[in-house]
Amino acid sequence: MTQALVGAATVAGYAPSIHNTQPWRWRVGGTRLSLFADRARALAVTDPDARLATLSCGAALQHARIALAAQGWRAIVTRIPDPTEPDHLAQLRVVGRAPVELQAVRRTHTIRLRHTDRRPVTGPPVGSDDLRAIADAVQAEGAWLHILRPDQVMDLAAAAGHAQHTETADPAWQAELAYWTGGTRPAGVGVPDDTIPLRAPRTTVPGRDFGHHGDLPVSTGHDRNAGYAVLYGPNDQPVDWLRAGEALSSAWLTAVELGVSVLPLSAAVEVAGTRQTVRRLVADFGHPYLVVRLGMLDTDNAGPPHAPRLPARQSIDRLRPKALSPGPAEGDSSSTPKGRGRHDPTSPPTPR
Ligand SMILES: Cc1cc2nc3c(=O)[nH]c(=O)nc-3n(C[C@H](O)[C@H](O)[C@H](O)COP(=O)(O)O)c2cc1C
């Protein structure tokens, strides 16, 4: 059992995360796999409420669920199992065997293929059947995806530009970005230069301004055929951000299997004012969690390399058997790390 749970947590490590912070920590004990937010890898300036960190953890949770299903394990998920322990985001409890899900087996391979590609999407528009399949994947995880109309894309472009401007004017934000991006990232966290465009891609909605150019070659094509969508949902609490991450993971893996490129664009939801603008784009029906670009890549050229990952041992803790006895009750917080700001000296990133 321990091996299966450690394996699932290891697969979860391939999940996307804001600035590749990998802000999760797993605890394996008995038949339980617990997911914690790792505040040591949170973005205090960019993401003070940990919305995007929690969303990233949700993507990791969905990866872990897939990995267990692919091994033929049936698991019950409890999200935010103990409200007095806000960093304890989820618990997966294995309750028995189940038939191996072939789709889950395929998805474990897709997990290894998925990666962020910041080049312009210069292929044809994404077909309506593919868009529907991606939106359905979001909805199956309890969130919604609104595909923006062309006039709304213009509003989004203005909001994203304004958000970038607000952020780059803030020296603390600049310092945080510089800490987490650029260089080769030997510590296994952060966004390396070989995944950052060599020059600003020609896009309708501005992509992340990393404050410097990287090494990733980009074509001179314009991504005018790109589609833009808002991932949103009915509420704006940590459990909703977690579910949004599960929805992002499911949508992105579905997209990879359809040959569709997904690029998260979070600047517009990081700044409170522009998040309101994005909220109006979903007609005030819900709360926006993330903007994504959807498009078909020009597959003639090789894509960027995969961003590095932390060694599994730095994000997975195994409970020793005696710590398991007599076994924590459902929702029991006795085996959980106490308090916020828990810090593992092995986990902080190395600045470039
Ligand atoms: C919540 C969230 C927000 C993100 N925001 C952006 C963004 O604004 N711009 C960008 O280029 N990439 C963004 N990304 C992509 C991450 O930088 C990427 O997932 C991370 O570097 C790991 O790389 P990988 O996706 O190739 O595994 C975001 C990812 C997540 C999960």
Side-chain angles (χ1 to χ4, degrees):
M1 185 77 278
T2 300
Q3 214 176 339
L5 295 174
V6 169
T10 304
V11 169
Y14 291 101
S17 59
I18 177 77
H19 291 357
N20 198 23
T21 46
Q22 302 158 62
W24 46 73
R25 189 145 202 115
W26 295 94
R27 177 160 288 191
V28 178
T31 56
R32 291 158 204 249
L33 179 61
S34 284
L35 169 63
F36 295 90
D38 190 337
R39 302 276 165 178
R41 290 198 293 276
L43 301 173
V45 181
T46 308
D47 186 29
D49 301 327
R51 289 162 182 273
L52 298 171
T54 308
L55 199 153
S56 304
C57 289
L61 174 62
Q62 213 259 349
H63 279 32
R65 286 168 45 202
I66 291 171
L68 287 174
Q71 296 177 79
W73 293 109
R74 198 156 68 83
I76 293 176
V77 186
T78 310
R79 295 171 185 82
I80 322 284
D82 179 358
T84 68
E85 285 287 341
D87 287 351
H88 190 181
L89 296 177
Q91 185 177 72
L92 288 149
R93 187 164 57 92
V94 173
V95 291
R97 299 296 293 175
V100 170
E101 290 178 27
L102 289 180
Q103 196 211 26
V105 174
R106 194 177 64 232
R107 287 265 151 120
T108 54
H109 296 292
T110 310
I111 282 171
R112 303 296 294 268
L113 298 175
R114 185 215 59 79
H115 65 299
T116 300
D117 193 333
R118 301 182 176 88
R119 296 175 300 163
V121 282
T122 50
V126 180
S128 56
D129 286 352
D130 290 351
L131 288 177
R132 197 166 310 119
I134 294 166
D136 285 351
V138 168
Q139 203 162 338
E141 295 291 339
W144 300 309
L145 192 71
H146 174 65
I147 313 286
L148 297 179
R149 300 186 310 266
D151 60 309
Q152 294 181 312
V153 172
M154 292 304 142
D155 290 343
L156 172 66
H162 186 68
Q164 299 268 20
H165 186 74
T166 306
E167 290 186 321
T168 46
D170 178 357
W173 182 88
Q174 282 177 27
E176 189 171 72
L177 182 75
Y179 188 81
W180 284 100
T181 66
T184 57
R185 316 308 304 183
V189 286
V191 182
D193 270 338
D194 54 9
T195 67
I196 296 176
L198 194 55
R199 60 170 173 269
R202 299 175 63 218
T203 59
T204 310
V205 176
R208 169 78 68 190
D209 178 357
F210 287 96
H212 71 282
H213 295 309
D215 302 331
L216 176 67
V218 290
S219 74
T220 53
H222 192 291
D223 74 347
R224 59 177 54 85
N225 283 338
Y228 292 89
V230 180
L231 177 65
Y232 71 109
N235 297 303
D236 203 22
Q237 297 299 315
V239 70
D240 307 301
W241 309 334
L242 193 69
R243 282 195 181 277
E246 295 177 78
L248 173 70
S249 166
S250 181
W252 202 334
L253 297 175
T254 302
V256 171
E257 287 166 4
L258 294 169
V260 175
S261 161
V262 174
L263 175 62
L265 297 172
S266 50
V269 294
E270 288 162 11
V271 174
T274 52
R275 192 163 63 243
Q276 281 308 317
T277 309
V278 180
R279 186 168 182 197
R280 281 194 288 279
L281 296 179
V282 289
D284 291 326
F285 284 142
H287 297 269
Y289 307 130
L290 191 65
V291 173
V292 292
R293 182 193 73 178
L294 301 167
M296 307 302 286
L297 279 161
D298 164 11
T299 46
D300 284 353
N301 300 307
H306 289 233
R309 288 298 188 269
L310 281 170
R313 67 177 184 285
Q314 287 190 24
S315 54
I316 304 173
D317 300 325
R318 296 183 197 208
L319 285 183
R320 280 168 307 171
K322 71 174 180 164
L324 291 171
S325 183
E330 189 66 33
D332 183 348
S333 61
S334 59
S335 66
T336 63
K338 294 287 177 193
R340 295 163 91 93
R342 180 173 158 274
H343 184 78
D344 172 3
T346 62
S347 67
T350 306
R352 65 195 165 111

